[in-house]
Amino acid sequence: MDEVTSSLPEAPDSVREADAPRDSALAHFGNDQPLKLDAGVSLSPFQIAYRTYGALNAERSNAVLICHALTGDQHVVGTHPVTKKSGWWETLVGPGKPVDTDRYFVICSNVVGGCMGTSGPASINPATGKPWGLEFPVITIRDMVRAQAMLLDHLGIDTLFAVVGGSMGGMQVLQWAESYPERVFAALPIACATRHSAQNIAFHEVGRQAIMADPEWRGGRYHLEGTNPRRGLAVARMGAHITYLSDAALHRKFGRKFQDRENPTFSFDADFQVESYLRHQGISFVERFDANSYLYLTRAMDYFDLAADHNGVLANAFRGAPTRFCVISFTSDWLFPTSESRAIVHALNASSARVSFAEIVSDKGHDAFLLDEPEMFGIVRGFLDGASKARGLKSTKAV
Amino acid sequence: MDEVTSSLPEAPDSVREADAPRDSALAHFGNDQPLKLDAGVSLSPFQIAYRTYGALNAERSNAVLICHALTGDQHVVGTHPVTKKSGWWETLVGPGKPVDTDRYFVICSNVVGGCMGTSGPASINPATGKPWGLEFPVITIRDMVRAQAMLLDHLGIDTLFAVVGGSMGGMQVLQWAESYPERVFAALPIACATRHSAQNIAFHEVGRQAIMADPEWRGGRYHLEGTNPRRGLAVARMGAHITYLSDAALHRKFGRKFQDRENPTFSFDADFQVESYLRHQGISFVERFDANSYLYLTRAMDYFDLAADHNGVLANAFRGAPTRFCVISFTSDWLFPTSESRAIVHALNASSARVSFAEIVSDKGHDAFLLDEPEMFGIVRGFLDGASKARGLKSTKAV
């Protein structure tokens, strides 16, 4: 599973490898290639950090784009340069895995607004020479996808064999099918929705308020002022993390078990195991994530509303799309419940698109898409196998 | 609906009316009447702020204790002295209402650990002459009920005709039936559980961390240091508030509607109505609530586990109880789902207690118990009517 970036065509702009996080490649887009944003402004210059796995075939037809979730990044497989943990989707992606890197050329890029090498609020604003902070333009899911399309152009890939993602990644999958239907042969949106619900927005807003309430946030200028809203970001992460798990999963994992003892301490220490677990989630998150990026990416999810761009008729978002879809949800996911996936399927049916749908029984909540879910693995493998036959994929040789 | 405190027997200790919030009466318990706490220490002296509505009958048999929820207080009916809003349960309590103050003598006291006149972490520690802060002992639901029982003794009331409460108030109702079964004729626990779940504890812990992350919290010594962790408390309230509403209620109320405009602002202002609403909830809450009290009361709820006190057998908590129960839940309450109420009912059945149960169809979430729910009103009225016949209640004349 070697990086094959070197076998790809030369980048049109200089690739500043020195700026890329270890293990990532970097595509730099100069002033001649601005990223036009929904906010009505352009981002230019900008850069995208990405990783690839497997080899692009001679026909350049076996590329699979993985879209990461809110707190994910391009490190799908392999050791993460910051956390030293294994990639976030090694359950699904790799040699012999459902997204088989022996067959497919897998690409994953850090989203615009992120903090793992792609331009975001922690990057240097070329106009000032200082970190952007809140001067960075507010971005949308569509902007993320626009940037990814520019990366594909950069890599010389016209059409994706498949685009796959869960949660915010799933939103990008749907946006791909809407924005560039002719460039997506197969789409796998998992545990997502075509719009963020009021409850979803509410949870995100609490996280943002936790960050902005931290005096070290300094109106977003903490990089300049040498502070870091770690406590606010940790609280945001803790709250969000609860929404990623089901009540049943929390009960099974922790129940009401105390830490290392049988009785309460009658204090405000982390008395219950679930408290200690959440605190750990918060503390470890701030080591790898930028607080302003958290604001920008949650905002992008909140703004996502595919139907709104089509006079409220979701089916029109996919009208005439040649893409084949496989929509997956999980029974215990209360953040993006199955009803949201059904709405996608109904819209796809109404637009005469080719779609299959699976609701997987799991008590693991929203995070199930990242975990050991054999039924999901089987469905993804089967769907991609079928699509690869339809696509006539043969070779796995690199260009 | 006059206050009738003056018609009650003289308080055994001096009642320091000056210390009571406007409209409340105050019972002071001296060093000869310590409150023995589950933490193994005693609170002494201490005081309880309370309100009463209606008149105690000659037989002293028509007293109804209302137990308030986490952020409630003794102001069940009538103008709140701080917010100037109407009482929090005027839907249910008042002349001619289901808990009819023309028939029943209604008492509601601020819980121990609270911040509306009853001793809590913002009170003065008599040993130091300074606010308790985190030196205040950690209290439990059982401690709250012990204090209420002392208040009843103080008021010369042996037996409650009924004890009624929702959420944390419902926990107190269940604790009353366990601790003092002979003093409770009828019990109405609404939208509650016999133990806090891992998810409930997790949400509370995020709120506590938001408060403790605020630099103005100062290790709980903010009263002494002239600061106030308002931002942390507001974030805690915002997060908790989401759990009080259902996804459907948020959708109906706000959906994805923007504030005063049709399009996003591409900023981090409160763009969506649901954001503005939540921010308002947070800001208005800190005007009336003490941050340390929030820590103490959430902790008390987390520790609540009636079965744990009976070797894990919930039915043993109610074995032989003469009390008649009416358990109420709401279909869209995901904080205290109906499954928790069913567990109460099963335990009561197993202990041969007299119990009726109603699951009310509502899309309003946990907060339904505070709102206009005609089915709940009918059930409460009917249950109390039946119980009053069984109790042989006749007179509404004051002592």
Side-chain angles (χ1 to χ4, degrees):
Chain A
M1 201 161 16
D2 300 321
E3 301 278 339
V4 295
T5 311
S6 57
S7 71
L8 289 163
E10 279 299 302
D13 286 279
S14 63
V15 173
R16 299 185 302 179
E17 292 287 349
D19 290 0
R22 189 150 59 87
D23 304 324
S24 296
L26 198 70
H28 183 74
F29 299 89
N31 287 324
D32 55 330
Q33 291 177 292
L35 177 62
K36 288 176 185 160
L37 302 175
D38 281 348
V41 297
S42 286
L43 185 66
S44 174
F46 77 103
Q47 63 186 32
I48 298 176
Y50 64 98
R51 283 184 78 161
T52 66
Y53 309 91
L56 190 61
N57 65 12
E59 298 80 17
R60 310 180 86 81
S61 62
N62 69 334
V64 174
L65 180 70
I66 304 281
C67 299
H68 69 72
L70 172 60
T71 67
D73 53 37
Q74 66 270 37
H75 302 288
V76 177
V77 174
T79 306
H80 191 283
V82 176
T83 66
K84 310 299 179 197
K85 290 184 179 171
S86 49
W88 59 270
W89 223 356
E90 293 198 354
T91 49
L92 192 79
V93 182
K97 296 282 175 71
V99 181
D100 187 350
T101 52
D102 288 340
R103 302 183 60 193
Y104 308 120
F105 177 61
V106 171
I107 308 160
C108 185
S109 65
N110 187 215
V111 294
V112 168
C115 51
M116 284 301 290
T118 294
S119 295
S123 307
I124 299 299
N125 177 352
T128 64
K130 292 174 183 168
W132 280 98
L134 290 206
E135 300 291 311
F136 194 80
V138 168
I139 44 98
T140 65
I141 299 290
R142 191 192 280 109
D143 295 331
M144 294 175 188
V145 167
R146 278 196 192 103
Q148 288 159 354
M150 290 173 75
L151 175 65
L152 290 196
D153 294 342
H154 169 85
L155 297 176
I157 295 169
D158 284 336
T159 305
L160 290 166
F161 165 59
V163 55
V164 185
S167 197
M168 187 182 88
M171 290 177 165
Q172 293 165 65
V173 172
L174 294 167
Q175 187 64 61
W176 261 100
E178 195 263 3
S179 294
Y180 308 102
E182 75 290 349
R183 298 187 78 168
V184 181
F185 188 77
L188 253 160
I190 305 173
C192 66
T194 61
R195 58 141 182 74
H196 230 206
S197 73
Q199 190 185 62
N200 292 349
I201 295 169
F203 275 118
H204 273 176
E205 172 65 1
V206 173
R208 286 190 293 263
Q209 288 294 317
I211 290 167
M212 296 194 282
D214 189 329
E216 300 218 354
W217 180 62
R218 304 283 172 94
R221 294 167 54 85
Y222 52 90
H223 287 298
L224 268 174
E225 304 198 7
T227 57
N228 190 355
R230 298 164 61 90
R231 289 187 290 188
L233 181 59
V235 169
R237 172 63 168 179
M238 288 173 66
H241 197 78
I242 302 173
T243 69
Y244 303 152
L245 306 175
S246 69
D247 188 23
L250 279 168
H251 181 72
R252 180 166 35 75
K253 215 164 173 176
F254 306 107
R256 293 182 46 83
K257 287 195 286 285
F258 290 110
Q259 287 276 96
D260 311 322
R261 67 185 81 86
E262 287 195 3
N263 295 306
T265 59
F266 293 103
S267 77
F268 296 102
D269 295 339
D271 223 4
F272 293 99
Q273 287 182 13
V274 67
E275 294 177 299
S276 172
Y277 168 78
L278 273 186
R279 289 186 189 185
H280 172 75
Q281 291 294 327
I283 290 164
S284 58
F285 183 60
V286 302
E287 300 301 326
R288 69 176 177 89
F289 215 84
D290 176 63
N292 281 340
S293 269
Y294 196 83
L295 301 183
Y296 278 83
L297 302 190
T298 55
R299 202 45 153 173
M301 291 178 76
D302 291 351
Y303 278 158
F304 188 59
D305 187 355
L306 263 187
D309 302 332
H310 295 272
N311 297 317
V313 183
L314 186 58
N316 287 346
F318 306 113
R319 194 79 61 192
T323 308
R324 57 188 65 207
F325 292 83
C326 177
V327 178
I328 296 176
S329 72
F330 298 91
T331 49
S332 58
D333 183 351
W334 58 278
L335 195 63
F336 292 99
T338 290
S339 56
E340 300 285 351
S341 283
R342 280 193 205 285
I344 302 170
V345 172
H346 290 161
L348 288 168
N349 283 334
S351 67
S352 306
R354 195 189 299 247
V355 57
S356 59
F357 170 51
E359 182 191 30
I360 295 174
V361 176
S362 164
D363 80 346
K364 299 197 187 103
H366 181 62
D367 264 0
F369 80 93
L370 297 168
L371 302 173
D372 183 30
E373 288 286 353
E375 194 177 342
M376 175 178 75
F377 302 154
I379 289 163
V380 171
R381 186 187 296 277
F383 175 71
L384 292 180
D385 276 353
S388 71
K389 285 191 188 98
R391 176 77 161 163
L393 286 191
K394 296 169 198 163
S395 165
T396 63
K397 278 185 297 183
V399 179
Chain B
M1 197 160 20
D2 299 322
E3 302 276 339
V4 295
T5 311
S6 57
S7 71
L8 289 163
E10 281 297 302
D13 286 278
S14 63
V15 173
R16 298 184 303 179
E17 292 287 349
D19 290 0
R22 190 149 60 87
D23 303 323
S24 296
L26 198 69
H28 184 73
F29 298 90
N31 286 325
D32 55 328
Q33 291 177 292
L35 177 62
K36 288 177 186 161
L37 302 174
D38 281 348
V41 296
S42 286
L43 185 65
S44 174
F46 77 103
Q47 63 187 32
I48 298 177
Y50 64 99
R51 282 184 79 162
T52 65
Y53 309 90
L56 190 62
N57 64 11
E59 298 79 18
R60 310 180 86 82
S61 61
N62 70 333
V64 173
L65 180 71
I66 303 282
C67 299
H68 70 72
L70 172 61
T71 67
D73 52 37
Q74 66 271 36
H75 303 287
V76 177
V77 175
T79 305
H80 191 282
V82 177
T83 65
K84 310 299 179 199
K85 290 186 178 168
S86 50
W88 59 269
W89 223 356
E90 294 198 354
T91 49
L92 192 79
V93 183
K97 297 283 175 69
V99 180
D100 187 349
T101 51
D102 289 339
R103 303 183 60 193
Y104 309 121
F105 177 60
V106 171
I107 309 160
C108 184
S109 64
N110 187 215
V111 295
V112 169
C115 52
M116 284 302 289
T118 294
S119 296
S123 308
I124 299 300
N125 177 353
T128 64
K130 293 173 182 167
W132 278 99
L134 289 207
E135 299 292 312
F136 194 79
V138 168
I139 44 97
T140 65
I141 300 290
R142 192 193 279 110
D143 295 330
M144 295 176 188
V145 167
R146 277 196 192 105
Q148 289 160 355
M150 291 173 74
L151 176 64
L152 291 196
D153 294 342
H154 168 86
L155 297 175
I157 296 169
D158 285 335
T159 305
L160 290 166
F161 165 60
V163 54
V164 185
S167 197
M168 187 182 87
M171 290 178 166
Q172 293 164 66
V173 172
L174 295 167
Q175 186 66 61
W176 261 100
E178 195 262 3
S179 294
Y180 307 103
E182 75 290 348
R183 300 187 77 169
V184 181
F185 189 77
L188 253 159
I190 304 173
C192 66
T194 60
R195 57 140 181 74
H196 230 204
S197 74
Q199 191 185 62
N200 292 350
I201 295 169
F203 275 118
H204 273 177
E205 172 65 2
V206 173
R208 286 190 294 263
Q209 288 294 318
I211 290 166
M212 296 194 282
D214 188 328
E216 299 218 354
W217 181 62
R218 303 283 171 95
R221 295 166 54 84
Y222 53 91
H223 288 297
L224 269 175
E225 304 199 6
T227 57
N228 189 356
R230 298 164 62 90
R231 289 187 289 189
L233 181 59
V235 169
R237 172 64 167 178
M238 289 173 67
H241 197 78
I242 302 173
T243 69
Y244 303 151
L245 306 176
S246 69
D247 188 24
L250 280 168
H251 180 72
R252 179 165 37 74
K253 215 164 173 176
F254 306 108
R256 294 182 45 83
K257 287 195 286 284
F258 290 110
Q259 287 277 95
D260 311 320
R261 67 186 80 86
E262 288 196 1
N263 295 306
T265 60
F266 294 104
S267 77
F268 296 102
D269 295 339
D271 224 3
F272 293 99
Q273 288 181 12
V274 68
E275 295 177 298
S276 173
Y277 169 78
L278 273 186
R279 290 186 189 186
H280 172 75
Q281 290 295 327
I283 290 163
S284 58
F285 183 61
V286 302
E287 300 301 327
R288 68 175 178 90
F289 216 84
D290 176 63
N292 281 341
S293 269
Y294 196 84
L295 302 182
Y296 277 83
L297 302 191
T298 55
R299 202 44 152 175
M301 290 180 77
D302 291 352
Y303 278 159
F304 188 59
D305 188 353
L306 263 187
D309 302 332
H310 295 273
N311 297 317
V313 183
L314 186 58
N316 288 346
F318 305 113
R319 195 80 61 191
T323 309
R324 57 187 65 206
F325 293 83
C326 176
V327 178
I328 296 176
S329 72
F330 298 92
T331 49
S332 58
D333 183 351
W334 57 278
L335 195 63
F336 292 100
T338 289
S339 56
E340 300 286 351
S341 283
R342 279 194 204 285
I344 301 170
V345 172
H346 290 162
L348 288 168
N349 284 334
S351 66
S352 305
R354 194 190 300 247
V355 57
S356 58
F357 169 53
E359 182 190 30
I360 295 174
V361 176
S362 164
D363 79 345
K364 299 196 188 102
H366 180 61
D367 265 0
F369 80 94
L370 297 168
L371 302 173
D372 182 29
E373 288 286 351
E375 195 177 342
M376 176 178 73
F377 302 154
I379 289 163
V380 171
R381 188 188 295 277
F383 174 71
L384 291 180
D385 277 352
S388 70
K389 285 191 189 98
R391 177 76 162 163
L393 285 191
K394 295 168 198 163
S395 166
T396 63
K397 280 185 292 182
V399 178

